[in-house]
Amino acid sequence: MIAFVLAAALLIDPTPKKDVSFKTPQATVERTQDAETGPTLTAVAVTLECTARATGRVTGCRVLGETHPGLGFGEAALALMRDAEVAPGPREVQFARTIQFMP
């Protein structure tokens, strides 16, 4: 009985637990002003949704959102994923990926 109480006392952790909360990273878009050329983009993000086939091939990508639509970054992100592959798995899986373009 004493061994049971001693084991329980050793397992109890009296230190307070920290609140751990995970935040989704937000894409930061910054602009700098150049006196000669005007505003310059310093960061652009494009979020894609794709399907990973059981064979490992990535297909069916589409743009879910982009920070600066109409500037061609969505098409560039789709081109980057065109020949992408992942580790083969037991079934198809849909996933989202955010690609950040930096100068």
Side-chain angles (χ1 to χ4, degrees), residues 8-102:
L10 291 174
L11 291 176
I12 296 175
D13 186 8
T15 58
K17 303 294 182 216
K18 293 182 181 179
D19 180 28
V20 178
S21 58
F22 296 98
K23 297 179 182 176
T24 304
Q26 298 295 322
T28 58
V29 178
E30 300 175 16
R31 290 179 184 255
T32 58
Q33 186 72 30
D34 187 0
E36 296 176 10
T37 61
T40 304
L41 297 176
T42 58
V44 176
V46 178
T47 302
L48 302 176
E49 179 184 62
C50 302
T51 302
R53 303 286 177 197
T55 61
R57 183 148 173 80
V58 176
T59 62
C61 292
R62 67 183 184 97
V63 176
L64 290 180
E66 53 186 307
T67 56
H68 288 52
L71 296 180
F73 289 102
E75 292 82 13
L78 289 171
L80 287 172
M81 293 298 291
R82 190 165 293 132
D83 295 323
E85 291 187 5
V86 296
R91 59 184 169 85
E92 292 182 357
V93 177
Q94 280 192 315
F95 66 95
R97 162 172 256 167
T98 299
I99 298 174
Q100 291 191 347
F101 294 90
M102 305 296 272

